[in-house]
Amino acid sequence: MITLSNLTKTFGDSTAVNAIDLEIANGEFFSMLGPSGCGKTTTLRMIAGFEEPTSGRIELAGEDVTWTSPKKRNVNMVFQNYALFPHMTVRENVEFGLKIKKLEKARATERIERMITAVRLEGFESRHPAQLSGGQQQRVALARALVNEPAALLLDEPLGALDLKLRKEMQLELKSIQQQTGTTFVYVTHDQEEALTMSDRVAVMNGGNVEQVDDPRSLYEKPRSEFVADFIGTSNLLKVEVETWDGDIARAGLGDGLRITCRESGDRASAKTITVRPEKINVHAGPVDPGQGSLVRGRIIENVYLGSMTQLIVELSTGERLIVHELNDDSGGPSEAGTEVYLSWATDHSFVIEGAAKAPDQQAALPAGAESL
Amino acid sequence: MPLSRRIQRALPNALSIGLTGLVMVILFGPVLLLALFSFNDSTVISLPWEGFTTRWYSEALNDDGAMTAIGNSVMVASIVTVASLILGTLASWGLTRIPFRGRPLVAGVHGSVLVVPWLIIGVAGLIFFSQIEMALSLQTIILMHIVVTFPLVVAVVSAGLIRFDPSLEEAAIDMGASQLQMMRYIVLPQIAPSLAAAAIFAFAWSFNNFEISFFTGGFEQTFPVWVYGVLRHSSNLPVVNAASTVIALAQVLLVFGLWYGMKLMTRRRGGSDHDAAEMITGAVR
Ligand SMILES: Nc1ncnc2c1ncn2[C@@H]1O[C@H](COP(=O)(O)OP(=O)(O)OP(=O)(O)O)[C@@H](O)[C@H]1O
Ligand SMILES: [Mg+2]
């Protein structure tokens, strides 16, 4: 298990990682997702031991390793550029860690061969890295790290250099290797799709802060902050004055029987914004009874055919715009531009989240993250 | 294809061949001419051709002065090479890997030595050694040679270290290697070409150096100083010529041998010939 408590790293007067807390369970596929410069690499390098924290604590399997040298930590890193040793063959690369640890010959050979088979590199053992394709180099880097049987594998955008098709293949392969070996993976990426499809849990980072840690489904369905809602998939954000709270359900009337209801997700006090995903919205020609759900009125101002669905942009009387995705299955409502329509969605599909009011403070406190966004 | 087009196409090619030829003649013509005349059976280096002989070579071989001078030069150059290689590599590591205050200044000082004329360094050395009352000898020559070969090694090896990806070092440490093991297994093999190039140039600089050896040497002469001494009598010319030809040939063979070795090595690693050429040219960049 990896535990980060109150971990902070500053470079000069800019904060790269701002007092983050994370717990990563054994055998978990854990991703850190966020835009460029949000501190993913810095966090990973602190876990590996290549960067000294400014403050905070790092524990591996219950042991405080905050000041332990990287070679003594039972974690291994897969570098973004692979960092394969160019003067060594594939086999020598994979062998390196075991040679350093002076593992007994027979056991080392067995482990190396098992690893080379696991990453499907049989027959390439005597090649040098320069003679391999990008995907093959990636697999050597993986084998070289995994052969040490680390408690956790730290991967820094390992697929960043590969083309889209190979990326998809390697995603599946990485996931299956992770499941086979049961190794904890801490996976850094700025590709949300990659994070969502591969991970057990994802930490969304922004400007040195962890915005939300959740399983992929919850991240998508129940984003806790505007940033997460916006960063993961397409999301509609609406400014709302909450009138009443009914348990964890917030209500806001808009007059004319129109209203918004949604569930609590973030911090109730600062709740000013609600989120709803485009595909959760239903379009109607006239007013309908939304039951417990929300109902708003607007006018279609744009209509884009996207193959399996149609994307509508609906402008509300407040001037706010909603993106609506309608499946092209002949069951949908009106979609002509200029049409007045009613939109409804279920309470469970929209959430009050931490409003935009909080963002400016964050940026002021964090010049490093803000500048690179 | 019309003739004009054909000429247009062929022209750059012909031009580059012509230019290359010209450069070759200017570079190697004089040396080859001397080598040719070292087989001429005459004490003057000029036509007419008096007949083929190897007499100058056997005379040079039996000339105690020549042999001692060559021996001295080989010894001096070897010691200078090893010493400046060790010192220079350590300094390069410090300059490229360890951040400290005034690093650009220190790097600049190293570079500036490379542009000071050897004559001035020789005279400065002479004054220095007489001030500290150190007798001039091969030792003083060695010390002053290191003064100029050390910054050369620093320049070449630093260039190699800068091109070297530091994440390889981290990868080695990540897999449990100590600093020493990381140096031994990862860094040294990677910068071996730079080290080889630095060694070749340090050796050649020291071996061929006249000015510094002339001013800071005692009774024991290095080969260039010996050449200068005996050339005052023109009758010695053919012997000097023969000895110089052998030395030049030996140096050329040495460089080519090393280059070829490197080429085989990079081939084996899956690198291209380009890498091999870069090792030699990289040294002078
Ligand atoms: N060695 C350093 N010195 C100074 N600032 C640094 C250093 N390393 C990182 N930073 C800064 O810290 C912040 C976080 O950097 P980090 O590399 O962790 O981002 P990242 O999330 O990995 O981004 P990317 O997706 O682009 O790789 C950035 O603003 C960066 O400029
Ligand atoms: Mg990064």
Side-chain angles (χ1 to χ4, degrees):
Chain A
M1 192 164 81
I2 303 174
T3 312
L4 311 183
S5 351
N6 207 17
L7 197 65
T8 299
K9 175 76 189 179
T10 57
F11 292 105
D13 52 5
S14 73
T15 308
V17 175
N18 187 20
I20 64 170
D21 294 294
L22 284 179
E23 278 209 1
I24 302 167
N26 283 336
E28 192 173 18
F29 196 120
F30 188 91
S31 291
M32 291 194 276
L33 173 68
S36 186
C38 70
K40 307 180 295 286
T41 299
T42 308
T43 308
L44 204 67
R45 287 174 59 82
M46 284 194 282
I47 300 175
F50 291 120
E51 214 77 73
E52 286 185 354
T54 309
S55 62
R57 230 169 111 86
I58 302 168
E59 281 172 36
L60 294 178
E63 192 187 337
D64 186 346
V65 296
T66 316
W67 304 105
T68 308
S69 103
K71 67 174 182 187
K72 297 228 175 75
R73 299 189 191 191
N74 191 17
V75 294
N76 282 109
M77 183 120 169
V78 174
F79 293 81
Q80 179 159 16
N81 60 356
Y82 314 144
L84 297 179
F85 306 131
H87 59 291
M88 297 184 186
T89 61
V90 168
R91 197 194 167 85
E92 286 163 347
N93 264 285
V94 177
E95 199 176 19
F96 186 80
L98 303 183
K99 211 168 94 184
I100 293 290
K101 293 189 189 73
K102 300 211 165 58
L103 195 74
E104 178 216 331
K105 190 89 183 159
R107 276 182 58 205
T109 310
E110 192 261 314
R111 248 154 92 168
I112 292 162
E113 263 150 29
R114 192 153 38 87
M115 212 56 244
I116 285 181
T117 313
V119 298
R120 300 192 293 118
L121 277 172
E122 304 103 321
F124 293 93
E125 289 95 334
S126 55
R127 292 222 196 160
H128 283 87
Q131 298 163 319
L132 298 176
S133 74
Q136 291 163 342
Q137 291 181 18
Q138 172 60 64
R139 293 204 286 261
V140 178
L142 212 60
R144 185 181 66 172
L146 280 173
V147 79
N148 300 297
E149 298 180 355
L153 192 66
L154 314 174
L155 305 100
D156 190 359
E157 307 210 15
L159 307 182
L162 306 180
D163 63 45
L164 191 66
K165 187 160 176 294
L166 197 52
R167 244 182 123 99
K168 298 266 178 241
E169 279 174 36
M170 286 301 298
Q171 283 175 8
L172 294 178
E173 205 155 317
L174 271 177
K175 182 77 188 168
S176 87
I177 289 172
Q178 192 262 339
Q179 281 163 344
Q180 260 176 50
T181 58
T183 312
T184 312
F185 272 36
V186 184
Y187 191 96
V188 161
T189 178
H190 61 249
D191 180 337
Q192 46 142 322
E193 192 193 328
E194 194 167 290
L196 294 184
T197 54
M198 297 170 81
S199 318
D200 297 321
R201 283 193 308 152
V202 181
V204 180
M205 292 184 69
N206 178 29
N209 296 299
V210 172
E211 295 264 339
Q212 185 171 352
V213 185
D214 245 322
D215 59 284
R217 189 177 192 98
S218 306
L219 270 187
Y220 186 81
E221 308 264 340
K222 299 179 195 170
R224 281 172 179 277
S225 70
E226 198 171 321
F227 177 82
V228 176
D230 204 36
F231 192 74
I232 308 231
T234 315
S235 193
N236 291 301
L237 299 166
L238 284 177
K239 298 268 170 285
V240 168
E241 290 295 330
V242 176
E243 286 173 350
T244 56
W245 284 99
D246 177 8
D248 68 341
I249 297 180
R251 290 181 206 286
L254 302 172
D256 277 351
L258 304 181
R259 63 174 187 213
I260 287 175
T261 63
C262 53
R263 291 213 180 263
E264 173 185 18
S265 161
D267 171 13
R268 192 179 283 195
S270 66
K272 287 203 174 62
T273 306
I274 70 134
T275 158
V276 57
R277 297 285 179 190
E279 71 276 12
K280 308 288 190 195
I281 301 176
N282 304 309
V283 186
H284 315 278
V288 293
D289 175 16
Q292 287 295 307
S294 305
L295 185 69
V296 298
R297 189 174 58 206
R299 198 163 54 85
I300 298 175
I301 57 168
E302 202 182 304
N303 159 326
V304 183
Y305 178 74
L306 295 177
S308 63
M309 62 183 185
T310 301
Q311 172 171 300
L312 306 176
I313 311 257
V314 178
E315 191 172 78
L316 307 185
S317 51
T318 55
E320 287 175 302
R321 290 178 179 189
L322 288 182
I323 299 170
V324 181
H325 288 167
E326 274 208 297
L327 279 181
N328 290 336
D329 58 357
D330 299 330
S331 67
S335 59
E336 292 303 308
T339 324
E340 291 278 333
V341 288
Y342 286 81
L343 305 176
S344 74
W345 60 86
T347 309
D348 287 345
H349 288 152
S350 79
F351 295 88
V352 171
I353 56 174
E354 290 173 29
K358 209 178 169 191
D361 313 348
Q362 268 177 359
Q363 282 172 4
L366 270 176
E371 149 216 43
S372 47
L373 277 178
Chain B
M1 206 184 324
L3 188 65
S4 62
R5 280 291 299 279
R6 237 187 278 180
I7 292 175
Q8 236 175 30
R9 286 246 175 125
L11 204 60
N13 228 339
L15 215 66
S16 82
I17 290 173
L19 267 177
T20 311
L22 189 69
V23 170
M24 287 300 213
V25 168
I26 293 172
L27 273 181
F28 299 114
V31 182
L32 288 178
L33 217 59
L34 277 188
L36 199 65
F37 276 110
S38 69
F39 294 104
N40 189 8
D41 198 356
S42 154
T43 55
V44 286
I45 295 189
S46 75
L47 292 172
W49 188 256
E50 303 281 354
F52 180 84
T53 179
T54 55
R55 141 164 97 100
W56 307 122
Y57 284 87
S58 56
E59 261 186 46
L61 220 61
N62 292 320
D63 188 321
D64 278 348
M67 285 301 125
T68 316
I70 291 174
N72 284 344
S73 275
V74 170
M75 187 186 70
V76 167
S78 304
I79 295 174
V80 166
T81 304
V82 172
S84 57
L85 214 55
I86 293 172
L87 294 175
T89 306
L90 291 176
S92 305
W93 186 261
L95 284 172
T96 56
R97 291 294 189 277
I98 306 168
F100 58 89
R101 276 183 62 188
R103 188 160 76 165
L105 185 78
V106 175
V109 168
H110 279 94
S112 65
V113 177
L114 291 174
V115 296
V116 177
W118 286 355
L119 182 69
I120 291 176
I121 290 178
V123 174
L126 177 64
I127 296 169
F128 175 72
F129 289 127
S130 66
Q131 287 289 319
I132 65 167
E133 290 174 14
M134 185 165 171
L136 298 181
S137 65
L138 289 183
Q139 272 114 299
T140 49
I141 294 182
I142 289 172
L143 282 177
M144 286 317 284
H145 278 191
I146 291 176
V147 169
V148 291
T149 53
F150 167 71
L152 173 78
V153 173
V154 171
V156 176
V157 177
S158 296
L161 279 175
I162 286 169
R163 263 178 302 170
F164 176 82
D165 178 3
S167 67
L168 295 186
E169 291 163 27
E170 289 185 344
I173 302 280
D174 189 56
M175 257 149 331
S178 63
Q179 284 281 326
L180 217 64
Q181 286 170 320
M182 183 260 286
M183 285 282 183
R184 160 81 185 76
Y185 294 118
I186 309 301
V187 180
L188 277 185
Q190 282 295 299
I191 61 167
S194 302
L195 290 179
I200 291 174
F201 279 85
F203 190 90
W205 274 28
S206 170
F207 194 96
N208 300 338
N209 182 287
F210 169 72
E211 296 96 320
I212 298 175
S213 308
F214 180 74
F215 283 106
T216 59
F219 290 114
E220 297 151 301
Q221 291 175 322
T222 62
F223 181 67
V225 177
W226 173 81
V227 168
Y228 177 75
V230 299
L231 269 189
R232 267 173 273 181
H233 307 285
S234 64
S235 59
N236 288 331
L237 199 58
V239 177
V240 169
N241 204 352
S244 306
T245 304
V246 172
I247 297 294
L249 191 69
Q251 290 192 7
V252 167
L253 285 181
L254 191 71
V255 170
F256 263 94
L258 270 167
W259 174 73
Y260 192 71
M262 289 292 167
K263 198 168 116 162
L264 285 185
M265 224 162 80
T266 49
R267 276 265 181 81
R268 220 161 39 82
R269 283 182 202 171
S272 59
D273 287 358
H274 178 80
D275 297 340
E278 190 181 332
M279 281 157 208
I280 301 295
T281 53
V284 267
R285 263 200 310 228

